[in-house]
Amino acid sequence: MREDDSNWFSKWEEQLPSPEELTPLSQTLITPDLAIALDIPIPNPNHHHHHQHPDPSPPPSAAATAAAAADEPARTLKRPRLVWTPQLHKRFVDAVVHLGIKNAVPKTIMQLMSVDGLTRENVASHLQKYRLYLKRMQGIGGGGGGPVSAADMAAERLFSGVHHHQMAAAAAQQPYYNQMGHYGFLVRQPHQPVMDVNRMVGMDLGGYSEDLEETGSGRKVLTLFPTGDE
DNA sequence: ACGATAATAT
DNA sequence: AATATTATCG
């Protein structure tokens, strides 16, 4: 009996994985891409969440790259900033107008937009800014103008916070934008009639694709491009 | 879900 | 350096 025990123990011991084969405890079990795709809470190991991260660019040797690839996903995991292109914003406004003020909350807006990769947080943040914009517009136009609902104004005046080069490119495609104020807000000229609210109920959804671009500072941003007719 | 504010980009 | 845009926190 004692020999059996000894033999069993030997086999067991030999089958133990080597330390190199063990997954480090500090390593996330989920790859960054998968985490981003599933929009799960980021296992962010960064203790310092303020200040720009150093992001040194080490010389990539083959071995170093392979070794880095094994454990770097954990710290490098950051969802890229979402860029609200005019097209994406339009879909947002369409959704808000369609839902009506009372139902236009981030969750429902996001659902109606049905843009892949768009999170509720993205919508909430944008909605907040959009409401501020509407309030400002009401304060200015409210004195002499007739009673207009916020939703109507939303449909009328397209706000967009983009004023960098991406805007220039977008503006080239959509020439009815011009600049206004110091805030870089953009309004659409009344030439083109706004889409009929009632028609939007059946609007086709799900025609967006993701695209990952790199900007000047090396930071990656996520832009969602419409593939439909906008 | 909302509003405030921190982080980040231009 | 200022300001605009987006993310995160309470």
Side-chain angles (χ1 to χ4, degrees):
Chain A
M1 278 305 227
R2 202 169 52 197
E3 293 174 359
D4 283 348
D5 289 346
S6 174
N7 188 24
W8 170 85
F9 183 85
S10 302
K11 290 172 81 174
W12 172 79
E13 190 175 24
E14 286 179 8
Q15 286 176 354
L16 285 177
S18 70
E20 290 78 16
E21 289 171 343
L22 286 173
T23 300
L25 284 175
S26 60
Q27 178 178 345
T28 178
L29 297 175
I30 306 172
T31 70
D33 289 332
L34 185 58
I36 290 178
L38 298 178
D39 187 30
I40 64 176
I42 304 173
N44 188 357
N46 282 343
H47 297 7
H48 47 286
H49 60 286
H50 59 279
H51 285 112
Q52 306 177 191
H53 62 278
D55 191 38
S57 38
S61 81
T65 305
D71 71 307
E72 252 190 273
R75 13 177 183 282
T76 315
L77 180 51
K78 274 190 176 93
R79 169 173 273 257
R81 272 173 86 109
L82 174 66
V83 174
W84 284 89
T85 64
Q87 287 85 8
L88 187 60
H89 173 73
K90 182 180 189 304
R91 172 153 280 221
F92 166 85
V93 172
D94 287 348
V96 169
V97 170
H98 172 238
L99 288 169
I101 283 302
K102 37 172 204 233
N103 295 334
V105 293
K107 193 167 136 192
T108 44
I109 295 172
M110 178 195 62
Q111 287 168 354
L112 184 57
M113 289 177 74
S114 72
V115 173
D116 191 22
L118 187 68
T119 70
R120 196 183 58 81
E121 277 77 10
N122 291 139
V123 176
S125 183
H126 193 66
L127 177 63
Q128 178 180 25
K129 192 181 142 196
Y130 182 64
R131 281 169 170 159
L132 287 175
Y133 166 79
L134 289 183
K135 189 182 293 185
R136 188 169 289 250
M137 285 317 254
Q138 281 207 23
I140 297 175
V148 210
S149 79
D152 285 348
M153 276 182 111
E156 294 285 345
R157 305 199 141 96
L158 187 57
F159 99 119
S160 179
V162 229
H163 81 195
H164 42 268
H165 65 284
Q166 207 161 12
M167 179 40 171
Q173 300 172 358
Q174 312 277 338
Y176 43 76
Y177 284 102
N178 64 0
Q179 204 156 19
M180 170 186 187
H182 327 50
Y183 292 99
F185 276 31
L186 301 158
V187 296
R188 189 176 61 181
Q189 304 258 353
H191 299 150
Q192 195 81 349
V194 290
M195 180 189 278
D196 185 5
V197 177
N198 298 324
R199 249 189 59 212
M200 277 184 266
V201 180
M203 68 181 177
D204 188 15
L205 302 172
Y208 283 75
S209 64
E210 302 179 6
D211 191 357
L212 220 55
E213 278 187 11
E214 183 161 346
T215 71
S217 57
R219 228 327 168 255
K220 282 182 185 129
V221 298
L222 178 63
T223 22
L224 301 122
F225 286 102
T227 56
D229 66 323
E230 307 224 32

